[in-house]
Each structure stands twice: as C-alpha cells, then as structure tokens.
Amino acid sequence: MIDEQIFLSEQTQDIYPSRYSNSPHMIPRADPVVYGSDFSNAPIHRELIEQYQQQGFLVLDNVFSDDEVLMFQQELNRLSQDDALKQCDEVITEKNSGDVRSVFRIHELSPVFSQLASDFRTMELARFLLGDQVYIHQSRLNYKPGYRGREFYWHSDFETWHVEDGMPRMRALSMSITLTENFYHNGPLMLIPGSHHTFVSCVGETPAEHYRQSLKRQEYGVPDDRSLEQLIDEGGIVSAIGKPGSLIIFDCNVMHGSNGNITPFPRSNVFMVYNAMSNKVAEPFCSQKPRPEYICSRKNIRTL
Amino acid sequence: MIDEQIFLSEQTQDIYPSRYSNSPHMIPRADPVVYGSDFSNAPIHRELIEQYQQQGFLVLDNVFSDDEVLMFQQELNRLSQDDALKQCDEVITEKNSGDVRSVFRIHELSPVFSQLASDFRTMELARFLLGDQVYIHQSRLNYKPGYRGREFYWHSDFETWHVEDGMPRMRALSMSITLTENFYHNGPLMLIPGSHHTFVSCVGETPAEHYRQSLKRQEYGVPDDRSLEQLIDEGGIVSAIGKPGSLIIFDCNVMHGSNGNITPFPRSNVFMVYNAMSNKVAEPFCSQKPRPEYICSRKNIRTL
C-alpha cells in the first residue's frame, strides 16, 4: 500500500521540472542509463555498453556498408526533390535560403527508412539499452548543407521531449546514421561526456507553437552559460567525426550541439529516436498544446 | 621607352578587378609571395619560408612566452573595460549582445601593442617576406567570445583592401597572435592552402559605408560557391589550432574564414597587418569613399 502511494505520487509529480523559474537548477538524473542487464544477450560488446553508460554516447564506425549509405543518400535526394512533399509540414526549410533542412516522420514517409528503423543493428540495440519494447518517438533526415549551415546550440533532447511532448522519464535514445563525412571542419555533432547524469532545468516559459521556431533556432530549453560551463569543465567536449555509415547512439539527456558550417561539405544524417513502450508520452509538462504528430508520435504508436 | 609605357599602363590599370560584374572570375596572382631573397639573412629557417610561399601561411608555436601572453591578455581586458573607449569608432560590438567584439588601431591606442608591432619576431619577419620597409596597414584585437561567437565567412583580405582601401598589389601580410587556446571545437581560423595564388574576383558592387556592416558580417567581397569549392578541392582546409602565444602569419590573398563558436572557450587574438612601404594605399578601386583611418592607415603612415 505504501509502495503504491509512492508510485502514484511519482506519477503525478514532475521530477524533471524545467522552464518554470528565472534561475537554472541542476538535478541529478533519477533514471538508469542502461536498462538491459543480461549482457550475455547484448547485441554489442559489454565494454561498449559500459562506455555508453559512462559517457552517454557511442560512435560506431562502419556499421552500414557503402551500398547502404548510397541507398540512403539516393532516398535523401529523392525526398528533397519531391515538390509535393515540400508543401507538407514534415519538411522544414532554411530560414534564409528556403532550402530543405529536415524531413520529419521518415520512418513512415519512406519505405527505405521504415526498414532502417526496424533493422537489427538499430532496433535490437535500442531494445537492449532501454530494456523494453520500443517505438519511434521521432525520426528525421537532416540535410545540413555546406557554405551557410547554421549552428545548433547546446541542448538536452529530453528537456524538450519532457516539457513540450510530455515524455515522463529518461528512457529514450537517439541514433544518427551519418550520410556524409563528418570532419572537424564541417560543424560535426559535439557531445559533452557525462552530461547525461544531470538534468539542467532551464529558465523561461515555453511560448505557444515554440516548435515552429525551435526547429530552426532554439531559444527556450537551452542551458544557461554557467551550467554549461560546469558540464564541460567536468566532461570536456567530444566531436563525432568519421566516414559515412557510422552510427552515433546518444542518450536522451546528453548535452549536445553543433557549430555552423561554412565549408562546402554538407553533413547529412538520418536521425531516429527510440522510446521505451513503458515511457510513452503523456500531457506536456508545460501549459502549451502537444506538438504535432510528425514531431512526436502520440496517437500513432507502433511497437517495432 | 617601351618599358616605361608598360610600367605606366600597369599603374593605371586595375590588374585585380572585383565587384564589377555579375559573374565571378579567377585571376592568377601577378605578384610574388615572398619578396626577400637573401636567405642567409632570413629571420626563420628557409624550409618555413618555402612552406609559406607554397601554402600562403605559417603557424609557429610557442613564439611568445606565457608572461607575454599574460601581458597581452591583461591589456585586452583593460581595453574591453574602458568605457570611454566603447564610445569610439575603434570599438566594434556584437550585433546581438552589444559586447565588445574588436578594438581597432591598437598599435596606436596601446603602448603594449605598439611595442609588439615593432617586435623583432613580427616586424623583421614581415620585412623579409615583403622585401621592403613596412608599416601597419590595420591592427586590431579580436575578442571572439564563446557561447554565441559568430562565424566569419570565407574571404581574401586583399580583395577588400584592394577594392575598398586602394591597396595596389599583393605585398602585405597578416600576423595573428593567439591569446587563448585554439581547439577544433571553438571555431578556429581555417585556411585554404595554395589559395593565395589565385585572385577570386567577386560579384556585386560595393555599397556605401560597407565597412560598418562588413566588420560584423561580410556580404560583398566574398567568393562564390563554385570558386570556393575549386580552391578547396585543390588545397583542402587547414585549421590553425594551438596553445596561446602562437604566431599565425598569412598572406594577404589567402582564402580564410571561421565557423561560429558555441563552446564556452573564447578565441581571442591580436591581429596586425604589415604592408610594404612601396605598396601604400591609393584611391579605392570602387566608387566609394575610402574607409576610415582606424581601419586603413592612409594619412598616418609611419615606417616601423
């Protein structure tokens, strides 16, 4: 009976409050990072899983073959040239040039990426790390063009998914498959090792329809300078560089971002978010309406 | 007599025309890179000079001691907190935050940097490479703060100095002394080796008082995408990374730029441009008035 009361109270209380105050707070993570425990059945080596547990991410090279990368790139080109698709909400364009920047919900729009979402190299690993059946919370193609590619400021994905989508706990992860080479020069993904152990509660209040702006340039739900500096003092910064076909797996709460890209080299990738079936989104932890279905699966949840 | 005619015609003709057409052009450099020839009297090793000749820049580590770097940093802090100075044209502020971004004409405003301009490690090397007496065409302190540091798009300094300041020929160079560590992460200076052998004639016409905007974000006098891609295909990209106290020497026509910087680590440096006394600026090669004295020495030219 006591246990049940605690359980109920945990369900109603927001243990990761954010955007409710004018001063930031750092809250220790209350959830596991790796939920799977039967290492004998793990799809990757135990050392890699321990590395993921400690730093909050993994970069695995040569996971996808050249032929697969070519197929993904062809599908990317096909989608970016689909004029009918450009009229859909799923397609996000560059603020200045109007070029396609991202295409959302690709696990449903494209047969190629639908298959990738259920591939054993991605799905089985997600299942093990999250210790549950999984579904796609969000998926997208990022074009990240060269020359005038914009920066993406530091953020924890979970902060946004929790506040704006109502994701209850930290039991989700992202997979990014690189489709072009990531150099030091072309604004690669930067991650702060160990930052996933702390939830940075951000200042300010979520404005209505924040997602329309935040997908281009995030202004709310970003960490304050001092919290960020503390995380970097403790963990440093790692750039995820490598050839096309790499798989970058990162925890939902690891702090990450990327500088802009003035080189001619685009930095395209496929991005999929796996969430545990036991962690399905509820009401947003803010006073706004939920974000649209193409950004956050809510009605259309399908176990992989 | 024939020689004299050729000489006269070269004086009146613009051999590096730019911003006069709607299509870009690539013009082979007509000037030497290294003007000094008596290598027995060179201030640095011959191999380094040959490297400079070939790639258009040199990065020399540990040129300035920790004590000197500390002195430069203290002078930087003093100047950035000088409220009277903030009212002067010499001080450029960040577009969004209003923070100090650069201070110009530091070789005259600051005794510390005046001395640095005439230091044997900088001035003697400039004299040798330019094969002439030298003066400071422009000098500045760049704060390049962290978190929200903006990118600086690819450009050749000479293109601007030629068009907007009337610098006749390629017989000038820049020296940048790093005051903070330059990592791959914090938007270091990127240079294209070999790009100094080609003058990229840019499209468009210079607007009036372009310098007011161009110091924050350059829109004219930047290379077109195809020319830039060609230069990078041939030469690649090198990032100038290293500890504080490094000396980066680069030719006036080498193509360079930097990505933005979302890390907390600022990327401050002292920047001085040496021009040959025989290459003093004349009338600008555009229809606009010359830029102000604090950006381009014109009246106040003093041999070092």
Side-chain angles (χ1 to χ4, degrees):
Chain A
M1 192 62 190
I2 290 168
D3 277 349
E4 196 180 308
Q5 273 180 341
I6 290 169
F7 181 71
L8 283 172
S9 110
E10 274 191 354
Q11 282 285 311
T12 49
Q13 195 195 333
D14 181 2
I15 64 165
Y16 298 119
S18 187
R19 310 190 204 175
Y20 70 99
S21 158
N22 283 328
S23 60
H25 300 276
M26 294 179 89
I27 301 169
R29 180 185 185 117
D31 297 311
V33 178
V34 176
Y35 287 75
S37 53
D38 179 7
F39 289 96
S40 63
N41 277 322
I44 56 172
H45 287 300
R46 185 178 183 136
E47 300 80 60
L48 290 173
I49 295 167
E50 284 167 353
Q51 200 184 330
Y52 176 82
Q53 155 77 33
Q54 283 158 24
Q55 64 181 17
F57 60 91
L58 272 183
V59 183
L60 304 178
D61 295 327
N62 296 314
V63 173
F64 296 91
S65 71
D66 291 352
D67 284 349
E68 286 177 305
V69 169
L70 188 65
M71 181 177 64
F72 299 153
Q73 284 168 336
Q74 283 167 346
E75 184 69 352
L76 177 145
N77 290 334
R78 187 184 71 78
L79 292 170
S80 74
Q81 282 157 23
D82 185 330
D83 284 336
L85 203 60
K86 275 194 190 176
Q87 308 307 315
C88 300
D89 287 340
E90 274 83 349
V91 177
I92 311 293
T93 53
E94 282 281 336
K95 207 170 179 175
N96 298 322
S97 67
D99 289 346
V100 172
R101 179 169 168 157
S102 300
V103 179
F104 277 78
R105 209 168 60 87
I106 51 157
H107 68 292
E108 293 183 333
L109 289 178
S110 151
V112 169
F113 296 122
S114 169
Q115 203 176 336
L116 177 61
S118 307
D119 189 282
F120 72 97
R121 289 163 291 185
T122 52
M123 184 189 61
E124 288 297 340
L125 184 52
R127 275 185 184 158
F128 178 83
L129 293 173
L130 301 177
D132 198 355
Q133 299 290 306
V134 296
Y135 73 96
I136 298 290
H137 169 70
Q138 186 190 97
S139 71
R140 63 176 193 259
L141 268 176
N142 293 313
Y143 290 84
K144 297 203 171 268
Y147 300 109
R148 281 157 287 271
R150 295 290 296 273
E151 81 280 1
F152 216 98
Y153 198 70
W154 299 104
H155 64 285
S156 146
D157 290 328
F158 178 76
E159 198 277 344
T160 298
W161 300 338
H162 182 66
V163 174
E164 300 192 24
D165 296 339
M167 182 181 284
R169 306 294 288 245
M170 296 181 186
R171 198 169 185 170
L173 56 79
S174 297
M175 296 210 183
S176 173
I177 293 130
T178 60
L179 300 186
T180 55
E181 187 161 351
N182 287 254
F183 309 93
Y184 279 117
H185 303 125
N186 63 348
L189 179 68
M190 298 190 291
L191 306 116
I192 305 177
S195 59
H196 61 311
H197 294 306
T198 305
F199 180 75
V200 179
S201 177
C202 304
V203 301
E205 213 174 318
T206 315
E209 304 206 326
H210 179 230
Y211 69 91
R212 290 188 190 274
Q213 274 312 310
S214 71
L215 299 177
K216 299 189 182 183
R217 188 182 187 87
Q218 192 153 3
E219 285 178 44
Y220 297 86
V222 294
D224 60 293
D225 292 1
R226 283 189 63 183
S227 300
L228 184 67
E229 198 176 354
Q230 189 179 324
L231 294 174
I232 292 175
D233 273 352
E234 288 165 7
I237 296 174
V238 169
S239 288
I241 60 165
K243 299 277 179 200
S246 303
L247 176 62
I248 306 167
I249 306 131
F250 54 106
D251 177 78
C252 59
N253 189 47
V254 78
M255 198 63 80
H256 61 286
S258 58
N259 284 321
N261 175 20
I262 66 167
T263 78
F265 309 114
R267 207 168 61 70
S268 309
N269 60 70
V270 188
F271 180 83
M272 294 182 299
V273 181
Y274 293 86
N275 192 20
M277 282 301 283
S278 56
N279 194 39
K280 286 201 288 274
V281 298
E283 287 300 298
F285 288 92
C286 66
S287 55
Q288 302 296 339
K289 283 190 301 185
R291 301 197 294 177
E293 188 75 18
Y294 69 88
I295 298 180
C296 161
S297 305
R298 182 175 296 276
K299 294 172 191 154
N300 188 15
I301 288 179
R302 192 171 56 84
T303 309
L304 294 179
Chain B
M1 192 62 192
I2 291 168
D3 277 352
E4 196 179 308
Q5 273 179 343
I6 290 171
F7 182 70
L8 283 171
S9 111
E10 276 191 354
Q11 283 287 309
T12 48
Q13 196 195 332
D14 182 1
I15 62 163
Y16 298 118
S18 188
R19 308 190 205 176
Y20 69 98
S21 158
N22 283 329
S23 59
H25 300 276
M26 294 181 89
I27 302 169
R29 181 184 184 121
D31 297 309
V33 178
V34 176
Y35 287 77
S37 52
D38 180 7
F39 289 95
S40 62
N41 276 323
I44 55 171
H45 288 298
R46 186 178 184 137
E47 300 79 61
L48 290 173
I49 295 167
E50 284 167 354
Q51 200 184 331
Y52 176 84
Q53 154 78 34
Q54 283 158 23
Q55 64 180 18
F57 61 90
L58 272 183
V59 183
L60 305 176
D61 295 327
N62 296 314
V63 172
F64 296 91
S65 71
D66 291 352
D67 285 349
E68 287 177 304
V69 169
L70 188 64
M71 181 175 65
F72 299 153
Q73 284 168 336
Q74 282 167 346
E75 185 69 353
L76 176 147
N77 291 334
R78 186 183 71 79
L79 292 169
S80 74
Q81 282 157 22
D82 184 330
D83 284 336
L85 202 60
K86 276 194 188 174
Q87 309 306 315
C88 299
D89 287 340
E90 276 83 351
V91 176
I92 311 294
T93 52
E94 282 281 337
K95 207 171 180 176
N96 298 322
S97 67
D99 289 346
V100 172
R101 178 168 170 159
S102 300
V103 179
F104 277 79
R105 209 168 62 85
I106 50 158
H107 69 291
E108 293 182 334
L109 289 177
S110 151
V112 169
F113 296 122
S114 168
Q115 205 178 335
L116 176 61
S118 307
D119 188 282
F120 72 96
R121 288 164 291 185
T122 52
M123 182 189 64
E124 288 297 340
L125 183 52
R127 274 186 186 158
F128 178 83
L129 294 172
L130 301 177
D132 198 355
Q133 299 290 304
V134 295
Y135 73 96
I136 298 290
H137 169 70
Q138 184 190 99
S139 70
R140 64 176 193 258
L141 268 177
N142 292 314
Y143 290 83
K144 296 203 172 269
Y147 300 108
R148 281 156 285 272
R150 295 291 296 273
E151 81 280 2
F152 215 98
Y153 199 70
W154 299 103
H155 63 285
S156 145
D157 290 329
F158 178 75
E159 198 277 346
T160 299
W161 300 338
H162 182 65
V163 174
E164 299 191 24
D165 296 339
M167 183 182 282
R169 305 295 287 246
M170 296 181 187
R171 197 169 186 170
L173 57 81
S174 298
M175 296 211 181
S176 173
I177 293 128
T178 60
L179 300 187
T180 53
E181 187 160 351
N182 287 252
F183 308 92
Y184 280 116
H185 304 123
N186 63 349
L189 179 68
M190 297 189 291
L191 305 116
I192 304 177
S195 58
H196 61 310
H197 294 306
T198 305
F199 180 75
V200 179
S201 178
C202 304
V203 302
E205 212 174 318
T206 315
E209 302 205 327
H210 178 229
Y211 69 92
R212 289 187 191 275
Q213 273 312 310
S214 70
L215 299 177
K216 299 189 184 185
R217 188 180 186 89
Q218 193 152 0
E219 286 178 42
Y220 297 87
V222 294
D224 61 291
D225 292 0
R226 284 190 62 182
S227 301
L228 184 66
E229 198 176 353
Q230 189 177 326
L231 294 175
I232 292 175
D233 273 352
E234 289 166 7
I237 297 174
V238 169
S239 288
I241 59 163
K243 298 276 179 199
S246 302
L247 176 63
I248 306 167
I249 307 132
F250 55 104
D251 177 78
C252 59
N253 189 48
V254 78
M255 200 63 81
H256 62 286
S258 58
N259 283 323
N261 174 19
I262 66 167
T263 78
F265 309 114
R267 209 169 58 73
S268 309
N269 60 71
V270 187
F271 180 82
M272 294 183 299
V273 181
Y274 292 88
N275 191 19
M277 283 301 283
S278 57
N279 194 39
K280 285 200 289 275
V281 298
E283 286 300 300
F285 288 93
C286 66
S287 55
Q288 301 296 340
K289 281 190 304 187
R291 301 196 295 177
E293 188 74 20
Y294 69 88
I295 298 179
C296 160
S297 305
R298 182 174 295 277
K299 292 172 192 153
N300 189 15
I301 288 178
R302 192 172 56 82
T303 311
L304 294 179

